[in-house]
């Protein structure tokens, strides 16, 4: 079976978030751990994501929500499974997440 690691678009989004406010510093290592895990993953379908990261929430249209740092932060991505590309659509606190529409970001 061939292995196709994921491409993450864009790491800068994650770095900009943790650098934006000193109170987000506790997110740095968990966010980077998620990035490393996602980058090495081979997610061909939503069940692959759920099988590897059981706390991930699979939404409609290829979107997935990941809980970071004990659910203090959330990352919302859109995954193009055929091309193994993960597009970061949102990263923020749980409160910031509550204020967005995950299907339109």
């Amino acid at each position: 079976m061939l292995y196709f690691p994921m491409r993450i678009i864009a790491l800068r989004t994650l770095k900009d978030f943790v650098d934006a406010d000193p109170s987000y510093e506790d997110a740095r290592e968990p966010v980077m751990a998620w990035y490393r895990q996602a980058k090495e993953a081979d997610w061909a379908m939503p069940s692959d994501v759920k099988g590897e990261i059981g706390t991930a929430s699979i939404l409609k249209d290829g979107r997935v929500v990941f809980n970071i740092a004990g659910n203090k932060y959330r990352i919302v991505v859109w995954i193009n499974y055929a091309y193994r590309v993960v597009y970061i659509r949102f990263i923020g606190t749980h409160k910031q997440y509550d204020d967005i529409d995950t299907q339109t970001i």
Side-chain angles (χ1 to χ4, degrees):
M1 185 167 171
L2 294 175
Y3 167 70
F4 297 101
M6 306 302 285
R7 288 184 25 221
I8 314 295
I9 311 294
L11 175 59
R12 171 62 39 209
T13 304
L14 301 176
K15 289 182 176 182
D16 287 349
F17 173 76
V18 296
D19 291 340
D21 188 317
S23 68
Y24 300 157
E25 184 59 35
D26 64 334
R28 185 174 308 276
E29 184 48 41
V31 165
M32 293 311 298
W34 173 87
Y35 174 81
R36 289 187 298 271
Q37 182 177 9
K39 186 176 172 192
E40 293 303 315
D42 182 12
W43 296 331
M45 60 188 66
S47 61
D48 294 338
V49 177
K50 194 69 173 168
E52 188 170 329
I53 303 176
T55 59
S57 297
I58 308 299
L59 306 179
K60 296 185 292 184
D61 192 32
R63 293 182 191 264
V64 181
V65 178
F66 296 96
N67 301 317
I68 306 296
N71 204 21
K72 185 174 180 181
Y73 302 98
R74 298 270 178 99
I75 297 174
V76 179
V77 303
W78 177 74
I79 301 176
N80 182 324
Y81 293 99
Y83 291 97
R84 305 297 201 278
V85 180
V86 176
Y87 297 92
I88 298 170
R89 306 297 298 159
F90 169 85
I91 178 170
T93 65
H94 193 105
K95 183 179 180 331
Q96 291 165 338
Y97 170 84
D98 289 341
D99 293 335
I100 65 165
D101 178 356
T102 58
Q103 292 304 132
T104 60
I105 59 162

